[in-house]
Structures are given as C-alpha cells and as structure tokens.
Amino acid sequence: MTETWLNKVNWSADGLVPAIAQDAASGRVLMVAWMDREALKRTAETGEAIYWSRSRRKLWHKGEESGHIQKVQEIRLDCDADVVLLQVEQQGGIACHTGRASCFYSKLVHGEWVEVDAVLKNPDEIYKR
C-alpha cells in the first residue's frame, strides 16, 4: 500500500494527531489517544488500533496487556485533516484502563463530576503486573 495518504494528515509540530476510537455498532466514543505516522500506518496495515503513548514514548498496541484489542472497521479523517476517527469493534467490551466500557464515564451533574458507568472488570484482574 502506497503511503502518500499519510502525507494528507495535518500532523502537529510533535508529529502526532489525536485519534478518537468510536464503537462501530453503537456510535459511543470509547477513548481518545494519539497516533504518530507509524501508528496510523500500522493500524491501517494490521486492522487493529495502534497508538503512540506520550507517557511511555513508544507505540502501543491497544489490548497488548489487557487483551481488549480494538478491531478497526473504518478509518476516517476530519475536514481539517487533523483528527483521526477509528470505528472499532472493542474486544471484551472494555476500552478503559479503569475496567469500564468507555473512558468517558464521568458526567457533569450540578457542578460535580459523577462516575455514571460501572466498572465491568477490576483493573487488577486485567493488568497482572
């Protein structure tokens, strides 16, 4: 596959682009992460979400430790070419490292953040360190 499509992405000064993972079936936003050129290229090649971990400074294959891999159904680029949208099938139904379905589990209610989504699996059971 020719890689000229990667040149169309409006990469940030540090070579990254935000990537939104959305459940392909329900449309729910599962998480937001970052991708560098290699992560986006490998995601397209493998059909599984691969991100750039800013904290670890390395590529991160989603689910490499937890088993909660994201099977990519579709990759889209927004109108400004500076955000990637991945429509995914979330393996195991858990996208968040907290053991929840989505990283967006807190809702603003009367000026307070309230956790409104249940933990589906204890993170200690997911990440055996």
Side-chain angles (χ1 to χ4, degrees):
M1 165 184 341
T2 180
E3 297 171 21
T4 57
W5 61 275
L6 288 165
N7 296 331
K8 303 240 186 251
V9 177
N10 188 5
W11 304 100
S12 67
D14 55 359
L16 300 176
V17 65
I20 300 166
Q22 178 184 40
D23 186 284
S26 70
R28 183 174 188 192
V29 174
L30 302 176
M31 56 178 274
V32 175
W34 295 91
M35 291 180 138
D36 66 357
R37 188 180 183 94
E38 183 67 15
L40 184 53
K41 177 179 179 268
R42 288 185 48 195
T43 295
E45 290 171 349
T46 65
E48 294 183 355
I50 298 171
Y51 301 106
W52 174 257
S53 171
R54 294 184 303 167
S55 60
R56 292 177 276 175
R57 311 274 319 143
K58 68 175 192 164
L59 290 177
W60 156 50
H61 184 176
K62 175 67 175 157
E64 64 191 14
E65 291 180 33
S66 67
H68 300 140
I69 292 167
Q70 292 176 339
K71 298 282 187 179
V72 177
Q73 308 297 308
E74 191 172 270
I75 302 173
R76 291 183 178 233
L77 187 63
D78 81 326
C79 59
D80 295 322
D82 61 0
V83 178
V84 170
L85 174 68
L86 304 179
Q87 293 190 343
V88 303
E89 179 187 320
Q90 179 64 60
Q91 303 297 293
I94 296 173
C96 186
H97 74 281
T98 65
R100 292 176 172 87
S102 168
C103 293
F104 295 93
Y105 57 85
S106 295
K107 177 179 172 180
L108 186 62
V109 179
H110 305 296
E112 300 288 330
W113 291 110
V114 179
E115 294 179 2
V116 294
D117 292 352
V119 173
L120 302 177
K121 191 168 186 180
N122 184 322
D124 293 336
E125 296 173 26
I126 297 171
Y127 303 102
K128 309 212 184 324
R129 296 188 174 121

